[in-house]
Amino acid sequence: MDVQVYGKIKDHDFHMIKMACDTLDRTHNGAMKLNIHELTDTDWENFLNEKKTDIRGEIWGFKCGTMAFVDGELVGNGDDFMRWAKTKFGLIDFRPPAFYEALSSQAYKSYLENPIRDFVYVVFSHDN
């Protein structure tokens, strides 16, 4: 089973799906091929625009910051994926939303503090 997850680094649904996928993969002895894609806000917008062109109707009204596909078919956002995982595998998520919010905040902070990332700073000054 091929599972593709795309989401914003700072979206708590992304981290919820990511943990659910890890749990499912462990409990089903690696039966899932996981492809997890952490995206910045800009990368997410580019991805979403590309998917709107590819998939068309299903994506146009998509407002969430996370999107999951199973075997190439769109499952949906975090809630949709968790319903799918419960129906298909009986997975019940016991973690509170605050846990995923903390994970997303920490992941974004780690992303920003990563020393191999290049950031550009511009200082403007106006001399009279």
Side-chain angles (χ1 to χ4, degrees), residues 81-94:
F81 184 84
M82 296 309 286
R83 276 192 296 277
W84 172 85
K86 183 177 181 182
T87 302
K88 181 91 173 158
F89 298 102
L91 180 70
I92 297 174
D93 187 25
F94 58 89

Side-chain angles (χ1 to χ4, degrees), residues 50-66:
E50 181 182 310
K51 284 297 176 190
K52 283 180 181 178
T53 306
D54 292 346
I55 298 176
R56 296 200 175 110
E58 297 178 61
I59 304 292
W60 283 103
F62 205 83
K63 301 288 184 208
C64 299
T66 301

Side-chain angles (χ1 to χ4, degrees), residues 27-114:
T27 57
H28 291 84
N29 299 322
M32 303 177 107
K33 180 183 172 199
L34 302 176
N35 293 297
I36 311 291
H37 306 275
E38 292 183 338
L39 305 173
T40 62
D41 289 343
T42 303
D43 292 335
W44 171 254
E45 291 301 322
N46 291 336
F47 165 78
L48 197 56
N49 287 332
E50 181 182 310
K51 284 297 176 190
K52 283 180 181 178
T53 306
D54 292 346
I55 298 176
R56 296 200 175 110
E58 297 178 61
I59 304 292
W60 283 103
F62 205 83
K63 301 288 184 208
C64 299
T66 301
M67 191 178 294
F69 297 85
V70 175
D71 293 329
E73 295 292 319
L74 175 65
V75 173
N77 63 16
D79 293 335
D80 298 330
F81 184 84
M82 296 309 286
R83 276 192 296 277
W84 172 85
K86 183 177 181 182
T87 302
K88 181 91 173 158
F89 298 102
L91 180 70
I92 297 174
D93 187 25
F94 58 89
R95 296 174 187 96
F99 174 74
Y100 296 114
E101 290 172 17
L103 274 180
S104 63
S105 294
Q106 184 60 43
Y108 192 62
K109 181 180 175 189
S110 295
Y111 169 79
L112 292 176
E113 291 175 346
N114 188 340

